[in-house]
Amino acid sequence: MDGRLYKGETSDLIIQIKERNSGKTKSTKWYKPWELVYFETFKTREAVLREKYFKTGSRREFLK
């Protein structure tokens, strides 16, 4: 693992991880295997806002 962090939102976390690790996603297939280190759940589209929050520079440090 090279220290990369993938941040995203999904309606099915298990399928998302399996797809990332199977190489089906072009943008992430060269960096597998992916390991789940943190997740949050939301019932609304607030997840999209939270994803954008974590993609900002200083918020990445929180995840590391």
Side-chain angles (χ1 to χ4, degrees):
M1 190 170 208
D2 67 358
R4 290 176 188 263
L5 297 174
Y6 172 80
K7 285 106 26 212
E9 55 94 13
T10 182
S11 60
D12 193 322
L13 185 58
I14 301 302
I15 289 174
Q16 177 98 349
I17 293 170
K18 286 180 181 178
E19 286 180 356
R20 299 278 178 237
N21 285 330
S22 72
K24 289 182 180 180
T25 306
K26 290 169 91 173
S27 63
T28 59
K29 72 179 181 179
W30 303 110
Y31 309 108
K32 60 186 183 177
W34 291 95
E35 176 184 356
L36 180 65
V37 295
Y38 180 79
F39 74 96
E40 298 175 334
T41 59
F42 297 94
K43 292 184 178 186
T44 66
R45 295 295 292 168
E46 184 182 349
V48 175
L49 298 174
R50 193 70 167 157
E51 175 187 0
K52 288 179 184 179
Y53 170 82
F54 280 123
K55 287 184 175 180
T56 61
S58 61
R59 291 358 179 249
R60 289 183 200 146
E61 292 303 314
F62 171 81
L63 294 175
K64 289 180 181 182

